Amino acid sequence: MEKALVLGGGGVTGIAWEIGLLAGLAEHGVDLTDADLVIGTSAGSVVGVDVRSGTGLRELYKLQTQPPGDKEIYARMSLGLTVKFVRIMLFSRKPEVVRVRIGAMALRAKTEPEEVRRRIIESRLPTLDWPPGMLQITAVDALTGELKVFDAASGARLIDAVGASCAVPGIWPPVTINGRRYVDGGIQSATNADLAAGYDRVIIIAPLASGFGAMASAANQARALSEAGARVTVIKPDKAALHAIGKNVLNPARRPAAALAGYAQAASVTDEAKRVWSA
């Protein structure tokens, strides 16, 4: 029975909540780090590297509960940028057109330089080399709108693959890899759980579980996997976790509270996680 762990996007608070949840599940007897495949999108790409790095979940969780250092940058999605996203989503029915238009917006946006953003990503990662085990990191080609899946055999540096997956359009700069510019894998799907097709047991951890416009929701992708014969569950933040995360998922100051909330929530989802993950 092959198992896939899908880690979705959700900003810096999403990273913290996911790590807290994983640490809490491990302490309740469900260790998801033994997945045969780990799929990381946006925030989930950072967590995916954490999971594959061999660093203990308890240690990772402790780091997330600490106040953010001076390398983290506060960011938020402005009203103007939100309106741009909504317009693109509402007036473009074809998913590929949505992604191309969002990519074009990202390429035009004034952001910090790539090298500045790269240093922030570097500070989050426990390793700069592709770790052992199957790890897939998603991004979207800013020009074509096509999904790109990076792995150890892709020829991309790990730090660039993660940076691309986390490149929120309009806020962070697109990342250049082998002459192409890439943006956040979350504009294809918040989880890209469809990449787990063919795996028998799939747990989807989704800080942002809902779809919007042409973007597939975690629930719809989970349903498709289930209909294909997999045992699947989607874990999303509960009410307490949503309160801890707050309205701005890009606010590093909310990170400790989000991690604590994820850790606390683990108790309530342990049985469902065991049902899916255990033989």
Side-chain angles (χ1 to χ4, degrees), residues 12 15 46 50 72 117 120-126 166:
V12 292
I15 295 172
V46 177
D50 286 340
E72 288 288 352
R117 178 64 176 163
I120 295 174
I121 298 297
E122 182 176 355
S123 71
R124 294 177 181 171
L125 300 180
C166 294

Side-chain angles (χ1 to χ4, degrees), residues 77 81-95 98-99 102 186-191 208-221:
M77 187 169 290
L81 184 58
T82 301
V83 169
K84 289 180 182 179
F85 270 107
V86 171
R87 283 178 177 170
I88 291 173
M89 292 290 190
L90 292 181
F91 295 103
S92 306
R93 296 186 178 275
K94 295 182 178 181
V98 170
R99 295 192 293 272
I102 291 177
I187 69 170
Q188 164 90 4
S189 160
T191 63
L208 302 174
S210 299
F212 182 76
M215 187 184 299
S217 69
N220 286 342
Q221 291 187 327

Side-chain angles (χ1 to χ4, degrees), residues 7-15 17-18 41-44 77 168 184 186-187 189-192 204-212 215-219 221 234-237 242 245-250:
L7 301 164
V12 292
T13 55
I15 295 172
W17 175 78
E18 290 185 39
T41 292
S42 200
M77 187 169 290
V168 180
D184 199 320
I187 69 170
S189 160
T191 63
N192 291 295
I204 304 168
I205 300 180
L208 302 174
S210 299
F212 182 76
M215 187 184 299
S217 69
Q221 291 187 327
V234 179
I235 302 175
K236 57 185 180 180
L242 288 173
I245 289 169
K247 295 181 178 180
N248 180 12
V249 300
L250 302 176

Side-chain angles (χ1 to χ4, degrees), residues 17-66:
W17 175 78
E18 290 185 39
I19 290 293
L21 184 75
L22 289 169
L25 283 171
E27 296 213 359
H28 285 86
V30 186
D31 185 359
L32 302 186
T33 64
D34 66 351
D36 299 290
L37 169 67
V38 175
I39 299 166
T41 292
S42 200
S45 69
V46 177
V47 182
V49 175
D50 286 340
V51 165
R52 284 302 198 211
S53 71
T55 308
L57 287 173
R58 187 68 188 178
E59 181 181 345
L60 293 169
Y61 170 61
K62 184 178 180 181
L63 289 172
Q64 291 296 322
T65 61
Q66 303 301 311

Side-chain angles (χ1 to χ4, degrees), residues 255-266:
R255 191 176 72 186
L260 291 168
Y263 185 83
Q265 184 180 345

